[in-house]
């Protein structure tokens, strides 16, 4: 029977990255559902329209969007775009880094690492790392250099 079992043709981020498992393994990485975000942030009036600055709420004040058709979910995504910051990230111009703690000195260390690399010739070419990966326990500066190569 040809159409007895249809193959999945829609995948979510969770199909590739099981964030709940990752969150359990990494203390400090707190993952919440969209429903929880909408209930604890949006419905408490903590989101503002990016153009008007007025408090804004999800369409129809709805927080549970599970199982809704794509046309309905599109309304949620449109609202999210108008009430949250949506930056364009160009990987060649910007790198996400995370300090090892909340201590301002650790944050400053990352800035200092970047400045030092730039003062000393900038980031190396990628071929420097072919077959010679940087160890995971290397300094933040060395890991930054490899990632941006």
């Amino acid at each position: 029977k040809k159409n007895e079992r249809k193959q999945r043709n829609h995948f979510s981020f969770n199909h590739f990255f099981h964030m709940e498992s990752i969150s359990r393994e990494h203390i400090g990485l707190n993952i919440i559902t969209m429903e929880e975000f909408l209930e604890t942030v949006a419905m408490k009036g903590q989101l503002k329209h990016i153009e008007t600055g007025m408090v804004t709420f999800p369409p129809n004040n709805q927080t549970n969007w599970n199982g809704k058709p794509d046309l309905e979910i599109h309304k949620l995504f449109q609202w999210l775009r108008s009430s949250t910051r949506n930056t364009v990230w160009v990987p060649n111009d910007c790198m996400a880094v995370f300090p090892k703690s909340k201590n301002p000195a650790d944050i400053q260390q990352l800035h200092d690492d970047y400045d030092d690399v730039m003062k000393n010739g900038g980031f190396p070419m990628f071929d420097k790392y072919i077959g010679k990966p940087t160890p995971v326990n290397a300094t933040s500066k060395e890991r930054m250099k490899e990632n941006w190569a």
Side-chain angles (χ1 to χ4, degrees):
K1 296 180 181 173
K2 188 175 180 181
N3 288 329
E4 189 173 298
R5 288 184 0 184
K6 290 184 178 181
Q7 285 186 320
R8 175 182 297 278
N9 63 3
H10 180 77
F11 296 93
S12 71
F13 187 79
N14 198 45
H15 283 97
F16 300 96
F17 301 99
H18 194 253
M19 297 306 289
E20 286 183 41
S21 296
I22 294 170
S23 177
R24 281 193 298 270
E25 292 177 22
H26 299 280
I27 296 170
L29 179 63
N30 299 317
I31 306 296
I32 63 172
T33 64
M34 176 63 78
E35 184 174 11
E36 186 177 349
F37 170 76
L38 294 174
E39 288 172 354
T40 61
V41 177
M43 295 306 292
K44 304 272 190 214
Q46 295 181 23
L47 297 181
K48 296 180 180 178
H49 192 278
I50 56 175
E51 292 176 4
T52 67
M54 302 288 291
V55 172
T56 182
F57 296 94
N60 301 319
N61 290 329
Q62 184 173 329
T63 58
N64 183 348
W65 293 80
N66 295 330
K68 300 292 181 191
D70 288 346
L71 196 56
E72 288 285 314
I73 291 176
H74 181 70
K75 293 176 189 175
L76 172 65
F77 289 155
Q78 284 183 306
W79 171 78
L80 284 168
R81 285 185 192 99
S82 70
S83 60
T84 58
R85 186 170 180 190
N86 186 5
T87 59
V88 176
W89 183 4
V90 180
N92 290 337
D93 295 338
C94 182
M95 177 189 299
V97 295
F98 303 93
K100 62 183 176 182
S101 78
K102 293 180 182 179
N103 186 322
D106 291 332
I107 297 167
Q108 186 59 48
Q109 182 62 54
L110 293 172
H111 289 285
D112 293 346
D113 287 347
Y114 175 83
D115 291 343
D116 188 54
V117 169
M118 296 310 288
K119 286 178 194 169
N120 291 294
F123 291 95
M125 297 298 295
F126 75 93
D127 56 354
K128 175 183 179 193
Y129 298 98
I130 295 175
K132 298 174 267 180
T134 301
V136 295
N137 62 350
T139 65
S140 57
K141 185 189 313 182
E142 290 306 312
R143 296 197 63 198
M144 183 186 297
K145 287 167 62 176
E146 179 186 28
N147 275 282
W148 219 330

